[in-house]
Amino acid sequence: MEIIIQPTYAGLTEVAAEIIRDALLKKPSLVLGLATGSTPIGVYEALVQMHQTEGLDFSGVTTFNLDEYVGIPSDHSYSYHTFMETHLFNLINIPSENCHIPQSTAVGHAEFCERYEAAIVAAGGIDIQVLGIGKDGHIGFNEPSSSLGSRTRIKTLTRRTREANAPHFGGTVDAVPKMAITMGVGTIMEAKQCLLLAGGESKAEAIANAAEGPITAEVPASVLQMHPQTVAVLDEAAASQLKRIDYYKEVYANKLELLAQEG
Ligand code: PGA
């Protein structure tokens, strides 16, 4: 796993947005896997800025979101459909038919999940999968104990996840949906590149476990150690419990030096 440590959250968002921009400039029909939550918001802001100031063109891009709550309508103010429209889709030139988000209904979910997986394959697979990480090491809504080979399916959320998301639902944990549809860990692992983002001290333990701990279903993000191309972009606080901080910084400095030499 490549680990890039930036001094601040602003630095993290800049580096992550640049990785996506570079990939999009090379491949205008980029297939992006997208995440919701507070962490990627700054990355989406930076991409919107690039669209507005540099004309970064999203007209050929296809997106697949990781997850969606079950049991709230898609137009609910805290659905992930609404989140994506507010923070990205309505602010860039992506055709709405290119944007895929799991359907927020339990009825017919098994067929829906199969179709979602098939649509990812039909699009040629995900080029870059953006990921946040839960304090317990979840990715998407793959809670600890999720099969590391799991596919898109319905999952029950842990109390800890529902508590973390309660502020979006008026502060009451009981108002947070109990289930979600999420891409599986196995689905995520098929992305050509994973871009794991984490900011703040509250994520430090999860990041240390994911990057340097044993690979275990107890920390679903730890499976990314087996992914050939995962880049974790962190701020100092989220990196603070890593054992090899100096080494990761040296690796990144050398990479920048090489890139500068290549012009
Ligand atoms: P956050 O959520 O970005 O809001 O911290 C990440 C996650 O729980 O996956």
Side-chain angles (χ1 to χ4, degrees):
M1 191 183 298
E2 180 182 356
I3 296 187
I4 301 176
I5 303 169
Q6 291 293 298
T8 61
Y9 174 72
L12 171 175
T13 62
E14 197 181 319
V15 169
E18 279 169 5
I19 289 172
I20 295 171
R21 172 178 54 192
D22 291 351
L24 179 49
L25 292 176
K26 280 195 198 115
K27 183 181 176 187
S29 60
L30 197 69
V31 181
L32 279 173
L34 297 176
T36 51
S38 51
T39 314
I41 289 178
V43 180
Y44 298 151
E45 278 170 8
L47 291 173
V48 168
Q49 175 96 6
M50 289 169 181
H51 170 66
Q52 288 169 349
T53 59
E54 306 163 17
L56 190 64
D57 181 12
F58 290 83
S59 62
V61 170
T62 300
T63 66
F64 290 91
N65 264 74
L66 281 169
D67 47 18
E68 176 60 287
Y69 292 113
V70 165
I72 57 170
S74 294
D75 62 359
H76 186 283
S77 42
Y78 291 108
S79 76
Y80 289 164
H81 282 73
T82 302
F83 177 100
M84 290 310 303
E85 281 163 14
T86 310
H87 292 286
L88 190 65
F89 297 155
N90 289 350
L91 309 174
I92 57 174
N93 65 332
I94 189 165
S96 58
E97 63 272 21
N98 290 11
C99 303
H100 304 87
I101 304 181
Q103 194 173 292
S104 58
T105 169
V107 179
H109 67 87
E111 293 77 14
F112 173 82
C113 292
E114 269 181 39
R115 285 202 307 275
Y116 202 69
E117 292 268 344
I120 293 173
V121 172
I126 290 171
D127 292 304
I128 301 182
Q129 176 65 59
V130 177
L131 295 169
I133 186 170
K135 290 176 196 162
D136 56 6
H138 70 226
I139 44 176
F141 271 131
N142 295 287
E143 302 284 30
S145 81
S146 290
S147 159
L148 298 182
S150 52
R151 311 302 307 187
T152 303
R153 69 216 183 287
I154 206 160
K155 274 297 286 184
T156 294
L157 308 182
T158 62
R159 177 117 195 139
R160 194 174 181 194
T161 295
R162 293 175 67 222
E163 278 167 6
N165 293 346
H168 300 310
F169 290 87
T172 22
V173 72
D174 290 339
V176 182
K178 292 188 173 69
M179 290 186 290
I181 290 180
T182 181
M183 274 187 209
V185 180
T187 321
I188 292 168
M189 287 293 281
E190 281 172 11
K192 288 160 201 140
Q193 181 175 20
C194 290
L195 188 56
L196 177 65
L197 311 174
E201 213 179 328
S202 67
K203 299 292 172 69
E205 187 183 353
I207 284 294
N209 287 336
E212 295 176 336
I215 297 171
T216 165
E218 277 302 292
V219 182
S222 64
V223 77
L224 294 170
Q225 293 175 35
M226 296 291 291
H227 191 282
Q229 230 192 315
T230 288
V231 183
V233 190
L234 315 172
D235 67 8
E236 289 277 2
S240 60
Q241 289 187 33
L242 288 167
K243 287 188 217 116
R244 300 180 192 284
I245 294 177
D246 291 344
Y247 179 64
Y248 303 137
K249 287 186 175 173
E250 193 186 332
V251 170
Y252 187 54
N254 286 347
K255 181 181 174 180
L256 293 181
E257 208 178 293
L258 274 179
L259 286 174
Q261 280 169 20
E262 283 167 9

